[in-house]
Amino acid sequence: MTDHPVGSTAAPEAPAPKPPKPPKKKRRWLRVTLWTLLTLGILTAAALIVAYVTTPIPKANERALQQNSIIYYSDGKTVLDRFATVNRQSVKLERVPEQVQKAFLAAEDRTFYQNSGISPRGIARSVWVGLRGGPQQGGSTITQQYVKNYYLTQERTLTRKFKEIMISIKIDKEVSKDQILEDYLNTIYFGRGADGIQTAAQAYFHTSVSNLDVAQGALLASVIRGPSLYDPSLGPEQTTLAKGRWEYVVDGMVEKGWLSQAERDKLKFPKVYAAAKTTGLTTPNGFVSEAVREELKNKLKLTDTEMALGGLRIVTTIDKRAQDAAINAVKTAMPEGQGTEDLHVGLAAVVPGDGAIRAMYGGPKYGSGEMGYFNTATDAGMQAGSTFKVWTLIAALEKGLPLSTRFSGAGPQYLPQFASDEPGASAAARAGMVQNFGNGSYGVLDMATATALSCNTYFAQLNIEVTPEQTKLMAQKAGIRAWRPQKILGTNYANVFGTDLVRPLDQAAAYATIAAEGKYAAPYLIASVKGAGGFDINYKAKPKVKQVFKKAVARDAIQAMHRVTQPGGTAPGASSIGRPVAGKTGTTTNNYSAWFDGFTPGQLAAAVGMYKGDASLKPENQMVGIGGYAEITGGSVPLNIWTAFMGAALQGQPIAQLPPPGNVSGATPTIVSTVPPYTSTTSTPPSSTSTSSSSSSSSTSSTSETPSGSGSITDIPTTPPPTSDTTPPPTSETTPPPTSDTSTPPNQSPTTTPGTTTETTPAGATGTTAP
């Protein structure tokens, strides 16, 4: 206590201020919030407990019943093929090397033996993405993946994720970790049709699981992230991804102490064997099955895993009667004997106005030999030959030129638009010489007659009149597209003679456009897809149809193409099926490819294309002097196959009549050009004595591509080429005619004089494409 002076009085100390009392309302709000959160917590916990108790563990074998995917014919009942059937050999965990087990843990769940079966962080991320409307992502534990693959569907929803969590917690409590890992390794999908690690070891390394080393195990652990993305045999992109994932796995093993750094440094990325095709068919239908798989990938965006494990029920557009007819037609009509071993044919048939593919022949034996995986109906590109003339015909009709439009059919003619400036071109080529087949010369022809005769000199002039750009445009509108290695259709004047590479499926769809009176329909193979439990999918095809030509134009084109199949045309044998038909033959120079494309109006359009060997333009690939034919042309074997196929495929169907003429621009004849005929029909100027000619070349069989007479054709040839309507096919010793359907391109082999006729192949074209 402080001393004070005598007589002074000490002042009393002031009391300390009291703190303010908190508002009663604020304290009440805090209590309410706390109680609310507590109540919600209790309710959530109770709900989780109820969900845990009430969520049953499904029977383990339910998934196995849902794996088998089946492909049906168009009737939806008859099985065409089965793919992605279960390919599993379960093994005990002790047979899996410990280092391989650790590789899977490093890849998918490094805390597997410590966690409770779920990953809270992964679950939170999945829920957040789901609430935002994004796709469900990975991050699941091995237990969760096992539950999803073995007990649940592949559905990507929060509901399925919740079930997965509940069952995973239950499984983790009731089943040992070793048993979970064993079941996981036996059920996970590795691609290549392999379910489980044993079949995966066989598929990728041709060995048993017990023989896998750590590098191989790390690759298999990488592949399961996405077989179509991480299988190194599928391409350089997949190899790069696989190597990156493989390094992540082995580095993870080092991080966890399961592999020393020294051991890691010695590891090399393992080599794998090429993937084998998984379809079970080795017959021609195997090509259909593989085409179905490709459409599932490209159109429905299904992955390999979804196709393999989805239990899909796929109904195709393939009609069994038509498909059987295609196989039998090729089998019975293809030549046999010396030189025929490497003949190839592709066939496709499409419904006009719909696009449904009713039949497809891509080869005799799927999965065997060099051509075992090459579908000649969808992969082979061949020069179209005279089948391309119909697009110039349609271009003229679209321009308003009627079928009565006349040009001289004399031959040869010299047209500057067809002149060649290629190095080494002959004087005739530089002069733009155009010849008819067999050096034939015709009078003044109308458009329908020129189509029936496949007169080159007429169509050369017609293409000049309409322009090659319009010919290209009409082909594109109908569904024709350039095929490998070409990128776009050509616009040179010779495109009228089919110098572009096209494939049978596109030819069939394009001719179906004409048969549908100008309506193009995109071809499709899958009518519907349903998931049998593995996936929630219910797909039904919707035909994509568009009117691309005027109806009157298509009707007049049908009239002209019908003349091709009548006496005097290049394919009178087509009418043998007993129905009104229309079509066009085509054969390239030196018989490197041969076609017949045709249809019954509104019912079915089919294209048949043939080639030999590896399809390159070299003498050994010329279809001459083989199988009893002096030469194979569009009017011989392709036509025989087409008639046999169409007759059987349409058996029992109503007979469709031709539509009435379109009468484009009325019926008044229009003379666009009257070039006088060349004075000689049997010889050529001295500068062109080694030339090839172009037309629909003559056949050595009764279904000749040469006009078969002149009874119904006006403006008959002044000196017609010799015909062989009644002559049987000569033997292989018979010398073939020196010319064929198209001319030799300027840059082709020295067996013919370069560049002398109309069939100038665009730079880089090789005639056809083959594997």
Side-chain angles (χ1 to χ4, degrees), residues 392 396 401-410 413 415 442-447 450 455-466 670-676 715:
T392 304
L401 299 177
L403 291 179
S404 57
T405 299
R406 294 171 177 256
F407 285 102
S408 170
Q413 293 186 29
L415 306 173
Y442 304 92
V444 175
L445 306 175
D446 61 33
M447 203 181 301
C455 178
N456 288 336
T457 53
Y458 179 99
F459 274 95
Q461 296 169 82
L462 189 62
N463 205 30
I464 293 170
E465 178 67 24
V466 302
T670 300
I671 299 178
V672 176
S673 172
T674 55
V675 178
D715 299 311

Side-chain angles (χ1 to χ4, degrees), residues 11 37 51 60 89 92 140 189 218 232 252 255 259 273 278 288 384 404 523 530 540 596 634 662 666 731 743 751 760:
L37 292 175
Q89 298 175 27
K92 293 294 184 180
S140 300
Y189 184 65
E255 178 185 316
L259 192 69
Y273 285 87
T278 56
V288 176
S404 57
K530 288 186 178 181
K540 289 187 178 180
F596 185 77
T731 62
S743 70
T751 56
T760 304

Side-chain angles (χ1 to χ4, degrees), residues 661-740:
N663 295 323
V664 170
S665 293
T668 304
T670 300
I671 299 178
V672 176
S673 172
T674 55
V675 178
Y678 187 69
T679 55
S680 173
T681 63
T682 59
S683 64
T684 58
S687 60
S688 61
T689 54
S690 299
T691 62
S692 296
S693 64
S694 73
S695 178
S696 293
S697 59
S698 65
S699 169
T700 57
S701 71
S702 60
T703 55
S704 172
E705 217 174 329
T706 303
S708 63
S710 56
S712 63
I713 302 289
T714 59
D715 299 311
I716 61 174
T718 56
T719 305
T723 60
S724 57
D725 293 10
T726 59
T727 304
T731 62
S732 58
E733 289 78 14
T734 303
T735 303
T739 57
S740 64

